Amino acid sequence: AFVLVQMAEVHVVGCIEGGEDFDQLALFCKWGIVTDDGRHDAKRWNLLEGIASGQTQVDIAKEGCMSVWSFPLDLHYSTTTIHGWPKFTCEVWAHDKYGRNCLAGYGMCHLPTMPGIYELSVCTWKPKPQSWLEYINGFFLGAYPQLKNPDIVWRQDDRFRLSTVTSGTVKLRVSVITMGFEKHGVTQSNDAEAT
């Protein structure tokens, strides 16, 4: 006889609205949703529907305006735990008039755990040039330092060693719908005084 375990479910629907306050004007975003803290040995989150990574189009914004991507997000996960809750990660890239792509910033945020409609601001950063030569390459050629392993953006183990500078902000609008968590002993409350 089979034992049927009912899984809790999380739906995330919304869009990556755009990026603002970056030094460059022609921007695009490579994005992904990370679950299970990136571990493949302990798969606790299953993507039932949707695409967990992608890339937006390039938008050339006017000076002082947001680069508009309006890239849709529609994800449906099942899980038996809250460990490894989904995180949104992004790399924002700038496209220059010579056809080169250079890093504009990395960012990460946890998706909300409570059902509701949210407007999220993902602050981005990039590695700080460590030498005068790296600074000159970045200034004249757009060749700023990049991470050898981009997983460090969402991992918490080695990020404290980085020297970074802030860049712009990525704007998200998402609706989170949860179902079945109470069957696994997880209660959700919108009351600020609840524990």
Side-chain angles (χ1 to χ4, degrees), residues 8-10 12 32-47 52 75-89 108-113 154-156 181 186:
E9 297 180 38
V10 176
V12 179
I33 305 293
V34 178
T35 58
D36 291 316
D37 296 324
R39 295 178 51 183
H40 298 290
D41 60 336
K43 193 80 175 143
R44 298 172 289 212
W45 288 78
N46 298 310
L47 180 63
L75 303 148
H76 179 192
Y77 286 99
S78 67
T79 186
T80 56
T81 181
I82 60 172
H83 296 288
W85 193 269
K87 301 175 189 72
F88 173 83
T89 65
M108 185 279 295
C109 76
H110 289 272
L111 293 177
T113 58
W154 52 266
R155 289 192 187 272
Q156 298 177 7
F181 279 94
V186 177

Side-chain angles (χ1 to χ4, degrees), residues 16-190:
I16 305 170
E17 291 184 325
E20 62 185 10
D21 300 328
F22 287 92
D23 293 335
Q24 305 87 348
L25 299 177
L27 300 172
F28 66 96
C29 180
K30 295 180 181 181
W31 63 274
I33 305 293
V34 178
T35 58
D36 291 316
D37 296 324
R39 295 178 51 183
H40 298 290
D41 60 336
K43 193 80 175 143
R44 298 172 289 212
W45 288 78
N46 298 310
L47 180 63
L48 301 176
E49 294 178 282
I51 299 172
S53 64
Q55 178 178 315
T56 69
Q57 78 282 355
V58 175
D59 182 48
I60 303 172
K62 293 181 180 178
E63 188 75 39
C65 295
M66 180 169 80
S67 289
V68 178
W69 300 317
S70 295
F71 193 89
L73 297 173
D74 190 354
L75 303 148
H76 179 192
Y77 286 99
S78 67
T79 186
T80 56
T81 181
I82 60 172
H83 296 288
W85 193 269
K87 301 175 189 72
F88 173 83
T89 65
C90 63
E91 296 177 15
V92 178
W93 290 82
H95 188 77
D96 70 12
K97 63 183 177 181
Y98 302 109
R100 299 175 300 191
N101 294 330
C102 63
L103 178 69
Y106 296 103
M108 185 279 295
C109 76
H110 289 272
L111 293 177
T113 58
M114 297 296 299
I117 300 171
Y118 299 91
E119 291 190 13
L120 306 173
S121 295
V122 182
C123 297
T124 63
W125 52 270
K126 57 186 173 184
K128 183 178 182 180
Q130 297 299 305
S131 68
W132 183 250
L133 181 60
E134 284 182 348
Y135 178 78
I136 295 295
N137 279 341
F139 185 79
F140 287 109
L141 302 176
Y144 283 99
Q146 299 174 25
L147 298 176
K148 290 180 183 176
N149 182 3
D151 290 355
I152 205 164
V153 172
W154 52 266
R155 289 192 187 272
Q156 298 177 7
D157 44 2
D158 287 334
R159 208 173 10 181
F160 66 91
R161 297 179 187 178
L162 292 175
S163 179
T164 63
V165 293
T166 59
S167 36
T169 304
V170 173
K171 300 289 189 178
L172 302 176
R173 178 175 293 158
V174 295
S175 297
V176 177
I177 304 165
T178 61
M179 182 176 76
F181 279 94
E182 48 289 328
K183 293 179 183 171
H184 296 278
V186 177
T187 57
Q188 296 176 322
S189 172
N190 286 327

